[in-house]
Amino acid sequence: RKEVEQDPGPFNVPEGATVAFNCTYSNSASQSFFWYRQDCRKEPKLLMSVYSSGNEDGRFTAQLNRASQYISLLIRDSKLSDSATYLCVVNLHITGGSYIPTFGRGTSLIVHP
Amino acid sequence: DAGVTQSPTHLIKTRGQQVTLRCSPKSGHDTVSWYQQALGQGPQFIFQYYEEEERQRGNFPDRFSGHQFPNYSSELNVNALLLGDSALYLCASSSSGLGEQYFGPGTRLTVT
């Protein structure tokens, strides 16, 4: 099992749709979770941190489920400009008590007119 | 406020050569991490520098080494380049090891 897993997609949705992505992680002791957005051939850009209580930023909602070891990202009212790859990052707990920032491979979102 | 900068933008090297990539962190950040991103994959953590020392290291061979300077800028060195080292190399800075990271535009390395 991969340490941080994402469905690569692509998720193909019409404008205005609601779409959700999940990201599962292997170690329950992991902490500090984030969602990044990456456009083609560009660097990842921080979208939002993920807090235990869940958090919202405009059309974007992030949630953490520690019991089931996943984080989620919900995008409401999708825009054409939301088309990108969405990467989750988990600070994965490793042997020795350290944490390593570990990315998923990303989920591709295509929003069409 | 300058963000994270990296140089060079692109680089072409021959197998067996050595390469040095450079990164300047975002103002106010003291921690620099380096990542390798192959096409279609997420970034893979190489190592992280804080207070001029390597604090964490991912699963990369010793051919990959780095340095952090007193002004928090950093270098990534790769020796004995292999074809498989061709990738986008990303630098990210943060104000703490587990906090939000801000990425530079990356250096695209091609090994022929």
Side-chain angles (χ1 to χ4, degrees):
Chain A
R1 179 186 172 187
K2 285 190 176 175
E3 294 172 319
V4 178
E5 287 198 79
Q6 291 183 259
D7 180 346
F11 284 60
N12 211 315
V13 304
E15 270 186 293
T18 295
V19 62
F21 311 132
N22 282 343
C23 167
T24 59
Y25 58 95
S26 59
N27 191 312
S28 61
S30 300
Q31 58 176 281
S32 300
F33 308 87
F34 305 92
W35 283 102
Y36 282 77
R37 169 201 170 119
Q38 186 172 29
D39 293 291
C40 189
R41 300 184 75 81
K42 298 281 194 180
E43 74 272 22
K45 290 192 189 299
L46 179 67
L47 187 62
M48 55 200 305
S49 304
V50 186
Y51 302 121
S52 298
S53 55
N55 48 302
E56 190 173 304
D57 183 1
R59 298 182 293 110
F60 298 83
T61 300
Q63 293 196 311
L64 166 63
N65 186 318
R66 283 197 180 273
S68 301
Q69 295 176 212
Y70 73 87
I71 62 173
S72 64
L73 178 68
L74 181 79
I75 305 175
R76 290 181 298 276
D77 188 23
S78 298
K79 312 288 185 197
L80 295 176
S81 57
D82 293 335
S83 297
T85 295
Y86 290 83
L87 296 157
C88 65
V89 186
V90 175
N91 278 293
L92 210 62
H93 186 258
I94 62 172
T95 307
S98 299
Y99 294 88
I100 296 290
T102 305
F103 277 79
R105 65 174 292 183
T107 297
S108 176
L109 172 66
I110 300 169
V111 182
H112 59 82
Chain B
D1 177 24
V4 180
T5 60
Q6 291 187 244
S7 63
T9 308
H10 295 87
L11 205 50
I12 299 176
K13 289 286 189 179
T14 303
R15 191 172 45 184
Q17 286 188 315
Q18 178 263 344
V19 69
T20 297
L21 311 182
R22 295 177 176 83
C23 171
S24 289
K26 186 176 162 69
S27 178
H29 287 180
D30 57 9
T31 302
V32 173
S33 302
W34 286 93
Y35 294 84
Q36 179 194 69
Q37 186 175 25
L39 208 58
Q41 301 297 319
Q44 298 292 307
F45 177 75
I46 302 174
F47 41 53
Q48 183 179 86
Y49 276 85
Y50 172 70
E51 291 189 343
E52 301 180 51
E53 297 212 347
E54 184 184 289
R55 181 158 67 177
Q56 294 293 348
R57 189 178 183 93
N59 190 24
F60 278 80
D62 292 345
R63 297 187 298 110
F64 290 77
S65 63
H67 190 78
Q68 186 179 35
F69 299 94
N71 67 352
Y72 308 122
S73 67
S74 177
E75 287 182 350
L76 163 66
N77 300 292
V78 187
N79 293 325
L81 285 167
L82 303 173
L83 296 178
D85 294 332
S86 295
L88 178 67
Y89 287 84
L90 294 160
C91 166
S93 74
S94 60
S95 55
S96 73
L98 301 184
E100 298 174 346
Q101 296 185 72
Y102 294 85
F103 284 83
T107 295
R108 194 163 297 278
L109 173 66
T110 302
V111 182
T112 62

